[in-house]
Amino acid sequence: MYTNILASLARLSKKISRKKIFNNLDYWLQKKNIKKAKYCLNIGAGGEIEKYLIANEIAFKSVDIDIKRKPDIVADICKMNMIPDSSIQVIFLLEVLEHVKQPQKALKEMHRILEDDGIIIASTPFILGIHDAPYDYYRYTKYGIQYLFRNFEELEIKERNSLPEACICLLFRLYNVGSGKTKLTATILSPIFLFFLILALMSSHFLNHPEVTTGYFYVFRKSEGKKY
């Protein structure tokens, strides 16, 4: 029972952290009519992102450096020589860039394989605990994202959630990290955390600030006017 409680609360933490990602994805799938795109890449195989793309009938190939994730293409996104220049219409880069050691090199490579007017649909964490250690290297502010993507045209960049939700998410991350004692203490304090969660949800509209969020959802386009 204790293990089940931990698992449920850990999933809740992830859901809070990734709030609005799938709503924003729905919007862009319709806006760009991505279901008709024939050449899409999902960077980072498996997980709920891939399940979402399959459920929405998106034709895509997955790319991942880890063969255990069973990607269609095993490759480092900093070096995707097997993919021709200007051959991809859409790249999904969701919850991945923080795990890339050389993000600027990866973006240059994605710029190469994108066709003109091709887009990158992405998200990265900002205020969030370490995950998938030791392969968690960076956190990005809105301005850091804009700098990294300076050779692309910005279409959208949005906060994933509010200040109160970011704070409660950090508390709920305790169910994923630390010693058994930490997790047990967090479980005992669950009723208090859940009370804080209710307060966070009630106050999120009034305490929403762009500088405090668990992360960002953003879309950039490759345009002829911006070259590497």
Side-chain angles (χ1 to χ4, degrees):
M1 181 178 178
Y2 170 64
T3 303
N4 291 336
I5 292 173
L6 285 180
S8 297
L9 293 173
R11 285 194 296 270
L12 182 58
S13 168
K14 190 173 185 178
K15 187 173 182 179
I16 296 169
S17 169
R18 294 186 173 188
K19 182 182 177 183
K20 295 182 181 178
I21 286 181
F22 292 106
N23 288 342
N24 289 328
L25 272 172
D26 287 340
Y27 171 79
W28 281 96
L29 290 188
Q30 294 178 24
K31 181 180 177 67
K32 289 295 183 179
N33 203 12
I34 291 174
K35 286 188 178 183
K36 291 188 176 181
K38 295 181 179 179
Y39 304 104
C40 300
L41 280 186
N42 179 38
I43 308 295
E48 60 182 8
I49 302 298
E50 188 161 295
K51 290 178 181 177
Y52 169 88
L53 297 178
I54 293 172
N56 282 274
E57 301 178 340
I58 305 301
F60 70 92
K61 297 292 184 182
S62 59
V63 177
D64 203 299
I65 197 170
D66 187 355
I67 194 171
K68 294 179 182 178
R69 294 180 180 269
K70 300 180 180 180
D72 297 305
I73 301 170
V74 179
D76 184 335
I77 65 169
C78 295
K79 193 175 182 180
M80 297 183 285
N81 296 338
M82 70 293 296
I83 301 177
D85 293 358
S86 304
S87 61
I88 302 298
Q89 296 168 288
V90 181
I91 294 175
F92 296 97
L93 186 70
L94 298 152
E95 305 299 277
V96 171
L97 200 57
E98 70 271 22
H99 302 293
V100 178
K101 289 182 180 179
Q102 297 176 288
Q104 195 66 76
K105 189 174 181 180
L107 286 170
K108 185 176 182 180
E109 183 70 344
M110 286 185 278
H111 190 279
R112 177 187 70 80
I113 66 175
L114 270 178
E115 64 180 30
D116 287 339
D117 292 326
I119 62 173
I120 297 178
I121 299 177
S123 67
T124 43
F126 171 45
I127 299 177
L128 191 67
I130 292 173
H131 59 284
D132 292 339
Y135 307 108
D136 187 3
Y137 304 113
Y138 303 105
R139 291 293 178 269
Y140 296 102
T141 66
K142 173 182 178 179
Y143 310 105
I145 292 166
Q146 290 171 327
Y147 178 76
L148 279 175
F149 283 82
R150 63 193 179 276
N151 298 109
F152 295 82
E153 178 188 354
E154 180 182 326
L155 299 182
E156 178 180 78
I157 181 165
K158 297 173 69 174
E159 298 77 30
R160 295 200 310 219
N161 47 32
S162 67
L163 185 158
E165 289 166 327
C167 293
I168 197 65
C169 183
L170 291 178
L171 281 178
F172 275 70
R173 292 287 296 178
L174 292 173
Y175 301 111
N176 270 339
V177 300
S179 65
K181 183 179 180 181
T182 299
K183 293 178 180 179
L184 177 59
T185 303
T187 305
I188 293 171
L189 293 175
S190 292
I192 298 175
F193 288 0
L194 290 171
F195 174 71
F196 285 148
L197 173 61
I198 294 170
L199 287 179
L201 294 175
M202 292 175 61
S203 61
S204 60
H205 179 72
F206 305 100
L207 293 174
N208 196 13
H209 195 283
E211 293 182 2
V212 185
T213 178
T214 61
Y216 297 92
F217 177 93
Y218 44 98
V219 183
F220 284 82
R221 175 168 59 197
K222 176 182 175 179
S223 62
E224 292 186 24
K226 294 192 175 184
K227 305 292 184 181
Y228 258 94

